[in-house]
Amino acid sequence: MNNKFKKIFGIDLGTTYSAIAYVNEYGKTTIVLNAENQRITPSVVFFDEDQIIVGEVAKENAKIYPNEIVTLIKRSMGDPYFLFEYQGKHYRPEEISSYILRKLVNDAKQHLNEDITDVVITCPAYFGINEREATRVAGEIAGLTVRQVLNEPTAAAIAYGMMENNDENVILVYDLGGGTFDITMFHAKPDAIEVICTGGDKELGGKDWDDRIIRYMVEQFQTETGTTDDILEDVDTWQELQLAAEKAKKTLSQRDKTPIMVTSRGERVRIELTREKFQEITSDLLERTISLTHNMLEDAQKKGYDKFDKFILVGGSARMPQIAARLKTEFPSVRPKQFAPDEAITKGAAIYGWKMSLNDVLIERVKEYSGEQDVDQINIPESIAQSVADETGFTLDAVKYSNIAIRNVTSKSFGVVARNEQNEDQVINLVLKNTRVPVQVTEQFGTHLKNQKTVKIRIMEDEVSSKNVSADDAIEIGTAILKIPSNLPANSPIQIVFRLNEEGRLSITAMETTQSREVSVSIETSSLIQGKELEEAMARSKTVSVS
Ligand code: AMP
């Protein structure tokens, strides 16, 4: 293979499971097995003295060492209050996630006997700015070059496009993973995959189905034994029930009923859970996905998309049979179809990484042949595509596919806090959710006071599709300080520019227009690991061993 062709690996950093893949020299997407010979690795981190253990072994140890184990860390990405303490040291979500990445990458290096430097990591479309940035930083702490943080449903659509779909179609991707739910509409065209709309809930996933089983088992245990104690206060029982609940849930995807043993303080009770009961106690969760799907479809309709041609289900939790059954009754016109539920996202990320590499070579060649620097992504001459195919060993179709454009939308709205005429704080959205990215929006504001020295820009994120939003409906994702010249009157004009790049990363500039002073503002946020804490995590990462 051409040595300019850099292999970029795709990583699905999941709430409950993670995986890594690449595209091999024959153009086939390949999941790399971990050291335990499994295709997926539990996203469970075990702090074992000066060693970090990730995966199945960590999950098994959860029962014995519940206080040394971290699970579901993805749900805490971007959370300023999450800190895990172990032996007097504090760990932020980014660092804990970096250990999961290192486990995947180390095992893959061993397995393939080659170095891994560049990766594409996926995150839920519904992640906000800080969660996305946290995902990128996790990769950097792990010593990786993160070429892109890619939306999970986009990855699934890419895998689907490459593996199953050659026609122009509007595709709905229903992605129910371990901890998050995303629903996304795509328009797959011959030369592009365009995201039309996206919606979901970053706190809704298979784990919530497990929790319902746990709650049911506790109630049954209480009824059978007559106790009113909360048996979950005992950490061992809680850990044991977590594993049992997930196992029971998976069994119920195959069978009508399953027995579950609950042991607490010497008492042991056998509880039978039927599929029917399981569906009953979780139906509101499923209904929430339906209502989020309708919300997204309403937004899509406003963009002129009132139907879809394909309906694909991805994410491990889409294996629960009630999901497809319910979707069939709710959307009878298009049959939902499972598509590689555990692997679509990883494979899509790998294809995206491969596409980036191949596209780099392709663009390089076009520049060499044409002498032009500004190369049109779409119009690659056939002869050049063929020569890149010859050079890299990939097929011509594969090379052409690598040039397909991926067009995204932002899953959130972004704005700033401003005072309204009633002197109340209000959020003014500059960018509305489901706007095509990249995008740049400029808005003019006024200073509040005479001779004001600085303006504090409070950067807000919300899910409202209108310009004015109550401050209660938005969260502050960071602040920026703009210094302004002295002696300006009140209400002096200030221009704020929001830019979102293709990846959904936000950058802001502000301009004090009286003297045309432009200030590029760096966003300060407590939601991300920064400064000294980041340096410490980076340094620790070099010394600590992860297996
Ligand atoms: P993902 O993040 O896409 O790997 O999804 C992981 C989630 O899928 C976890 O909550 C698993 O418990 C769940 N899951 C995996 N296999 C099954 C199955 N056969 N039935 C029900 N849930 C499953």
Side-chain angles (χ1 to χ4, degrees):
M1 200 179 296
N2 174 280
N3 60 9
K4 283 206 175 148
F5 183 82
K6 178 145 197 102
K7 210 188 260 179
I8 302 175
F9 285 72
I11 296 181
D12 172 7
L13 181 60
T15 314
T16 49
Y17 294 93
S18 298
I20 183 164
Y22 70 104
V23 175
N24 72 13
E25 53 270 51
Y26 308 107
K28 188 171 177 323
T29 318
T30 312
I31 301 264
V32 192
L33 298 184
N34 64 15
E36 292 76 39
N37 258 337
Q38 291 167 330
R39 296 168 78 79
I40 53 174
T41 301
S43 305
V44 180
V45 180
F46 172 29
F47 287 76
D48 183 18
E49 299 295 328
D50 50 2
Q51 251 206 84
I52 307 273
I53 298 172
V54 178
E56 199 57 48
V57 177
K59 195 171 174 180
E60 278 162 15
N61 273 289
K63 268 196 244 173
I64 313 163
Y65 305 102
N67 298 323
E68 279 89 57
I69 299 274
V70 187
T71 57
L72 307 174
I73 192 60
K74 187 168 170 180
R75 282 196 167 171
S76 301
M77 288 300 244
D79 176 357
Y81 303 108
F82 180 96
L83 263 190
F84 177 75
E85 192 182 335
Y86 182 70
Q87 293 185 339
K89 293 193 186 108
H90 293 97
Y91 298 83
R92 292 266 223 155
E94 293 91 327
E95 185 171 357
I96 295 170
S97 300
S98 80
Y99 296 138
I100 301 172
L101 295 169
R102 278 185 57 192
K103 158 77 177 167
L104 296 170
V105 168
N106 287 349
D107 285 5
K109 275 183 187 170
Q110 286 280 325
H111 194 90
L112 301 171
N113 198 20
E114 67 181 273
D115 206 17
I116 297 175
T117 54
D118 290 32
V119 294
V120 168
I121 307 177
T122 58
C123 79
Y126 228 57
F127 259 14
I129 293 282
N130 286 334
E131 296 95 311
R132 263 165 217 280
E133 215 48 41
T135 306
R136 172 179 291 281
V137 173
E140 287 166 3
I141 297 174
L144 299 164
T145 304
V146 182
R147 295 288 292 265
Q148 182 112 10
V149 175
L150 180 69
N151 285 338
E152 287 163 8
T154 305
I158 292 169
Y160 183 72
M162 171 103 165
M163 289 149 80
E164 304 223 344
N165 177 63
N166 298 316
D167 307 323
E168 178 154 352
N169 275 311
V170 176
I171 305 170
L172 205 60
V173 177
Y174 176 103
D175 174 8
L176 189 60
T180 52
F181 170 64
D182 273 329
I183 179 82
T184 309
M185 185 185 271
F186 293 89
H187 190 165
K189 300 176 173 176
D191 60 350
I193 296 181
E194 281 179 4
V195 181
I196 306 304
C197 269
T198 189
D201 184 342
K202 78 178 172 81
E203 306 234 325
L204 180 64
K207 182 67 187 63
D208 299 289
W209 271 257
D210 300 350
D211 287 345
R212 290 297 170 82
I213 297 181
I214 295 173
R215 203 161 82 190
Y216 178 74
M217 288 195 286
V218 171
E219 284 164 9
Q220 292 301 106
F221 184 87
Q222 287 175 331
T223 313
E224 294 274 328
T225 61
T227 179
T228 50
D229 293 351
D230 180 1
I231 59 170
L232 296 182
E233 278 175 8
D234 175 16
V235 186
D236 290 346
T237 308
W238 180 71
Q239 290 282 2
E240 203 161 298
L241 282 185
Q242 291 217 334
L243 296 177
E246 192 192 5
K247 193 160 163 260
K249 174 186 71 174
K250 289 182 177 172
T251 306
L252 291 174
S253 293
Q254 308 291 334
R255 297 171 171 211
D256 291 341
K257 56 182 190 212
T258 181
I260 305 167
M261 301 304 292
V262 185
T263 313
S264 178
R265 297 189 188 113
E267 287 200 83
R268 194 166 160 83
V269 173
R270 181 181 192 273
I271 296 161
E272 189 158 272
L273 181 62
T274 61
R275 186 187 274 181
E276 201 181 346
K277 188 73 197 173
F278 173 51
Q279 294 183 358
E280 180 194 315
I281 60 176
T282 53
S283 66
D284 60 311
L285 300 172
L286 175 49
E287 288 314 307
R288 177 147 171 75
T289 69
I290 303 280
S291 104
L292 289 163
T293 303
H294 280 296
N295 293 349
M296 192 278 292
L297 289 174
E298 277 168 31
D299 285 347
Q301 204 161 24
K302 288 181 204 141
K303 291 185 158 186
Y305 286 84
D306 54 5
K307 60 182 178 47
F308 49 93
D309 312 305
K310 297 266 157 103
F311 195 178
I312 61 167
L313 312 185
V314 298
S317 302
R319 286 189 192 280
M320 292 186 287
Q322 64 266 38
I323 305 282
R326 178 73 185 89
L327 293 173
K328 261 181 225 162
T329 55
E330 190 69 20
F331 304 101
S333 55
V334 184
R335 210 179 160 76
K337 183 171 173 268
Q338 280 209 15
F339 171 66
D342 300 314
E343 298 184 347
I345 292 168
T346 325
K347 288 186 170 172
I351 296 168
Y352 192 83
W354 167 80
K355 172 188 136 53
M356 281 178 111
S357 279
L358 205 48
N359 202 239
D360 286 350
V361 181
L362 202 55
I363 298 292
E364 204 48 45
R365 286 298 158 275
V366 178
K367 280 183 187 166
E368 277 168 22
Y369 286 108
S370 66
E372 282 177 30
Q373 284 310 303
D374 198 14
V375 174
D376 184 345
Q377 290 275 319
I378 308 289
N379 292 321
I380 302 285
E382 179 98 9
S383 59
I384 293 185
Q386 184 61 60
S387 81
V388 171
D390 296 342
E391 192 180 332
T392 58
F394 292 114
T395 63
L396 180 61
D397 276 352
V399 173
K400 282 187 183 161
Y401 187 82
S402 85
N403 198 38
I404 193 166
I406 312 281
R407 302 195 188 108
N408 257 313
V409 296
T410 163
S411 61
K412 306 272 180 185
S413 300
F414 299 102
V416 296
V417 175
R419 287 271 160 86
N420 65 14
E421 278 162 12
Q422 288 76 42
N423 215 18
E424 297 157 344
D425 278 350
Q426 199 182 25
V427 176
I428 308 291
N429 273 337
L430 274 74
V431 178
L432 296 185
K433 74 173 198 180
N434 284 319
T435 302
R436 166 114 18 257
V437 286
V439 65
Q440 173 172 326
V441 179
T442 306
E443 182 107 11
Q444 184 131 319
F445 295 90
T447 54
H448 188 50
L449 304 169
K450 187 174 160 215
N451 195 19
Q452 195 170 327
K453 300 272 189 304
T454 57
V455 175
K456 183 177 177 190
I457 305 169
R458 291 176 60 198
I459 305 148
M460 309 297 282
E461 185 176 273
D462 61 86
E463 286 166 19
V464 182
S465 300
S466 54
K467 186 114 187 117
N468 297 330
V469 184
S470 150
D472 297 339
D473 291 333
I475 57 158
E476 183 175 301
I477 54 167
T479 54
I481 304 288
L482 174 65
K483 286 194 189 126
I484 43 179
S486 6
N487 299 323
L488 289 182
N491 216 16
S492 295
I494 305 269
Q495 232 174 43
I496 296 179
V497 184
F498 271 30
R499 275 185 207 93
L500 278 167
N501 73 1
E502 287 87 351
E503 237 180 312
R505 297 181 90 187
L506 178 67
S507 63
I508 298 176
T509 46
M511 173 112 92
E512 181 287 298
T513 45
T514 327
Q515 296 185 1
S516 293
R517 274 198 349 162
E518 187 178 282
V519 193
S520 123
V521 283
S522 59
I523 306 172
E524 294 294 328
T525 173
S526 57
S527 303
L528 285 170
I529 189 166
Q530 284 178 336
K532 197 163 164 281
E533 257 187 310
L534 179 58
E535 280 167 29
E536 275 170 16
M538 292 273 200
R540 223 167 11 216
S541 184
K542 291 203 177 82
T543 56
V544 75
S545 106
V546 177
S547 58

